[in-house]
Amino acid sequence: MDSAILHFISPPIPYFVDCGYAYYGVGDSHIERDCIRVFDLIVVRKGVLPIGENGQSWEIQEGEGFILLPNGHHYGSAPCTTDTEIIWIHFQTYGSWKLCLDMNECMGNQMELIEEHKRLAYLNHADVCSIFLPKHMKLSSKAMEVLETFFQQEQEPQSLRNWKRQASFQLFLQHLDRDLASPTNDTAIQLADRIELFIRQNYATEITNSVLQKKLNYHPNYLAKAMLKVYGMTPMTYLQYYRLEQSKRLLLQTPWSIARIAEEVGFHHVSHYSSFFSKKEGLSPSGFRRKFAKQR
């Protein structure tokens, strides 16, 4: 199913707020609302729901889901022509998100969205990743099974129920994210994940395209293509990015010298590290430390 894609950066992972059922008889329409400030995931269990948002209209069929935006104008685009039953789930995020036309647009804007995310979510050095959710989706049987667990927990005590629903919601998002990938994308995702894991575990050592080729048994061009598709950057660019993020962690959490931090994260020359850091962050490593580290 062709659909726009909601691109989220995490952590924090989009979090569950509330859920429930709604029923529409023949002639009933979805309620009209403006800027409800939460994402509204609607899943049709029975019937067909005509829905509109910001001047566009869709018909959500049985077994399909649709995500309404927190800042949109929502309404029934037409009365229901058959008895219809839906599940609704409200969720939200403190991080960055963007509605994109397709995966190419998601990848093209990924680094810009990550940088915005760090400002919004107050994350200066955390490892972040992308979550992709289709706006309009056909739900797999596994995703539907997870969805039903939200209501099987109704008899649990409130505190325990909320914990379980949050866990179920994250599992549900994982299914949506993975179901979005085509077989070609899934292969790229698996390979990109292997590259990312190797870099994360070995970033302080000497890593080159030749090293990656030897360890992963793929030509560097193929490795770069997979990383560009999934992370929006080549393995070598990701390596520099990851080293930079780890150096921020050390700047904030240790009293080590700039030279030692540069060496610890894999930069051979402190001058190269300082220049690279300043270019990417707009201030020097020592300036970053003065701005963000607490007084010791």
Side-chain angles (χ1 to χ4, degrees):
M1 177 184 294
D2 291 333
S3 170
I5 298 170
L6 285 158
H7 182 182
F8 294 86
I9 306 295
S10 75
I13 293 172
Y15 58 88
F16 169 83
V17 176
D18 197 6
C19 65
Y21 289 106
Y23 304 89
Y24 302 87
V26 175
D28 292 339
S29 298
H30 184 70
I31 190 171
E32 183 174 0
R33 300 173 298 183
D34 263 312
C35 299
I36 63 173
R37 301 175 65 182
V38 291
F39 293 91
D40 188 4
L41 169 64
I42 293 173
V43 176
V44 175
R45 299 182 75 205
K46 174 187 174 183
V48 179
L49 181 68
I51 197 80
E53 180 181 64
N54 299 334
Q56 289 186 279
S57 300
W58 296 263
E59 283 194 342
I60 314 306
Q61 306 290 325
E62 184 173 323
E64 293 181 355
F66 191 81
I67 300 175
L68 294 167
L69 304 181
N71 54 356
H73 175 212
H74 312 148
Y75 47 89
S77 57
C80 291
T81 57
T82 183
D83 290 342
T84 299
E85 177 184 338
I86 70 166
I87 293 171
W88 56 266
I89 295 178
H90 290 169
F91 68 96
Q92 190 51 282
T93 179
Y94 282 110
S96 290
W97 64 274
K98 184 178 179 65
L99 180 65
C100 299
L101 292 176
D102 52 32
M103 287 298 291
N104 288 333
E105 184 180 348
C106 289
M107 293 298 97
N109 296 326
Q110 184 165 227
M111 290 312 299
E112 180 182 346
L113 198 61
I114 286 173
E115 292 306 315
E116 177 189 85
H117 178 79
K118 290 179 179 179
R119 293 192 297 272
L120 290 179
Y122 306 103
L123 300 174
N124 291 314
H125 54 74
D127 294 337
V128 298
C129 65
S130 291
I131 297 173
F132 303 107
L133 305 180
K135 183 172 177 62
H136 187 192
M137 69 208 79
K138 177 70 175 176
L139 294 176
S140 67
S141 58
K142 288 184 179 180
M144 288 297 293
E145 286 175 12
V146 174
L147 197 61
E148 294 297 337
T149 66
F150 281 88
F151 303 98
Q152 295 169 5
Q153 296 157 357
E154 197 60 42
Q155 303 306 314
E156 299 274 8
Q158 183 183 46
S159 59
L160 186 59
R161 181 171 68 246
N162 287 343
W163 278 109
K164 288 187 174 181
R165 280 180 169 172
Q166 179 62 34
S168 295
F169 180 65
Q170 291 188 16
L171 180 59
F172 181 69
L173 292 187
Q174 186 177 9
H175 281 297
L176 296 186
D177 179 66
R178 291 298 176 172
D179 289 345
L180 183 61
S182 68
T184 301
N185 284 338
D186 195 47
T187 300
I189 289 169
Q190 291 180 26
L191 180 55
D193 284 348
R194 288 177 62 196
I195 298 167
E196 191 273 342
L197 181 61
F198 179 82
I199 289 174
R200 185 153 47 87
Q201 293 177 338
N202 300 277
Y203 68 92
T205 66
E206 181 71 18
I207 298 179
T208 64
N209 283 320
S210 296
V211 169
L212 290 175
Q213 181 178 16
K214 182 177 180 181
K215 292 292 183 180
L216 300 173
N217 201 29
Y218 284 98
H219 191 278
N221 289 345
Y222 190 74
L223 297 176
K225 187 176 180 180
M227 281 292 286
L228 281 167
K229 177 174 283 189
V230 179
Y231 287 91
M233 63 185 89
T234 66
M236 293 300 101
T237 301
Y238 184 84
L239 172 63
Q240 296 293 82
Y241 165 80
Y242 191 79
R243 283 172 170 168
L244 185 69
E245 294 304 304
Q246 296 310 302
S247 77
K248 291 182 189 177
R249 189 188 305 272
L250 296 177
L251 286 166
L252 298 180
Q253 297 179 356
T254 75
W256 294 350
S257 69
I258 304 301
R260 179 178 177 184
I261 289 173
E263 183 179 0
E264 288 285 339
V265 300
F267 286 93
H268 294 306
H269 304 288
V270 66
S271 59
H272 176 219
Y273 165 65
S274 295
S275 175
F276 181 74
F277 191 104
S278 298
K279 181 179 179 181
K280 294 296 183 181
E281 297 299 320
L283 71 171
S284 67
S286 56
F288 179 88
R289 173 178 272 168
R290 285 192 300 271
K291 183 175 180 179
F292 294 108
K294 293 181 179 179
Q295 294 296 322
R296 297 182 180 275

